[in-house]
Amino acid sequence: MWNWLITSLGVGATIILFDGNPFHPNPGALWKLAQEEKMTIFGTSAGYITAIQNAELKPGKEYDLTPLNAVLSTGSPLSVENFEYIYREVKQDLQLASISGGSDINGCFALGNPMGPVYAGELQCRGLGLKVEAFDENGKSIINRQGELVCTAPSPSMPIYFWDDPNNEKYLSAYFDVYPNVWRHGDFIEINDRGGVIIYGRSDATLKPGGVRIGTAEIYRQIEQL
């Protein structure tokens, strides 16, 4: 996330970093920090949100989060239950934005939009400058169905080669081995007709019993309910 931090400094924002166990001395440690520093944007992960949800923490009742405008999450997809928890127990009038990208593109394929509506379980929109689509097995763009996350045009921050890969063999096999001249990122997604994006997990770690795809995000969601 260093690139986000650097660009934040570029627009005059103050960055708050926390180093240590976010549950020490209690599960509310980060929210106490948010209250003390009058934090406006809280950056976190889906794993942390699930952890405080399981701990039955109620940050909105225990801390003054009046200045807080947005909660941004990355690392893995947010579940519908995560969305419901944040709006129920943290704050109703904020933007909850889940993002998905990669260090290799130094950006986000899909992310939040402070001017758009939030739907539980969805990333709000695709990133500017990235022609993101969902492809089926035949390389056709699809809507309202699961498909491979692809980027069908060059983007400003897309890497152009790997170090010590003179013939580009590793580079081409990593991203362009399935669809010619089309970046395949290795995630299963669904783009719906309102432009929202649902992340189902890695396409190279997907089960397909009876022809029905089950992604890692769906598996984790069931495990976390145990």
Side-chain angles (χ1 to χ4, degrees):
M1 300 300 294
W2 64 269
N3 49 311
W4 284 65
L5 298 178
I6 295 299
T7 53
S8 297
L9 291 174
V11 297
T14 299
I15 297 171
I16 303 168
L17 300 177
F18 178 88
D19 183 20
N21 183 347
F23 272 62
H24 179 78
N26 57 64
L30 293 185
W31 300 102
K32 183 174 183 291
L33 178 64
Q35 173 183 269
E36 293 173 347
E37 300 297 335
K38 296 181 172 56
M39 199 178 296
T40 56
I41 298 175
F42 186 96
T44 185
S45 68
Y48 173 77
I49 292 175
T50 298
I52 61 171
Q53 181 179 347
N54 292 339
E56 299 182 351
L57 188 67
K58 301 180 185 298
K61 294 181 180 179
E62 299 173 23
Y63 304 95
D64 181 7
L65 303 177
T66 303
L68 189 64
N69 297 322
V71 173
L72 309 182
S73 174
T74 188
S76 58
L78 285 178
S79 67
V80 171
E81 292 79 9
N82 291 151
F83 277 81
E84 293 172 345
Y85 167 77
I86 291 294
Y87 283 109
R88 183 180 67 249
E89 303 296 355
V90 177
K91 197 177 181 184
Q92 291 184 344
D93 58 336
L94 57 70
Q95 178 199 14
L96 174 57
S98 182
I99 65 175
S100 178
S103 302
D104 32 10
I105 64 160
N106 195 31
C108 294
F109 287 117
L111 68 170
N113 172 11
M115 297 179 290
V118 175
Y119 296 93
E122 293 183 18
L123 285 69
Q124 290 174 274
C125 61
R126 287 166 279 182
L128 293 174
L130 292 159
K131 191 171 175 54
V132 175
E133 300 180 50
F135 268 16
D136 65 12
E137 293 88 345
N138 300 314
K140 302 295 183 182
S141 183
I142 54 177
I143 297 291
N144 295 322
R145 289 165 49 202
Q146 287 188 41
E148 288 272 3
L149 190 164
V150 298
C151 190
T152 59
S155 67
S157 58
M158 185 179 289
I160 57 176
Y161 62 85
F162 285 168
W163 188 268
D164 196 23
D165 184 26
N167 297 318
N168 287 328
E169 293 179 3
K170 295 178 182 178
Y171 175 68
L172 294 174
S173 65
Y175 302 113
F176 300 96
D177 62 336
V178 176
Y179 306 110
N181 299 316
V182 172
W183 178 290
R184 182 185 72 99
H185 199 62
D187 287 331
F188 268 132
I189 67 168
E190 177 182 337
I191 301 172
N192 58 37
D193 48 15
R194 59 173 170 248
V197 179
I198 302 170
I199 307 291
Y200 290 100
R202 297 293 298 173
S203 59
D204 53 9
T206 300
L207 303 176
K208 197 175 181 182
V212 179
R213 288 173 176 160
I214 302 175
T216 51
E218 295 159 297
I219 295 172
Y220 282 125
R221 180 181 176 187
Q222 298 305 317
I223 292 174
E224 288 163 356
Q225 292 178 357
L226 297 177

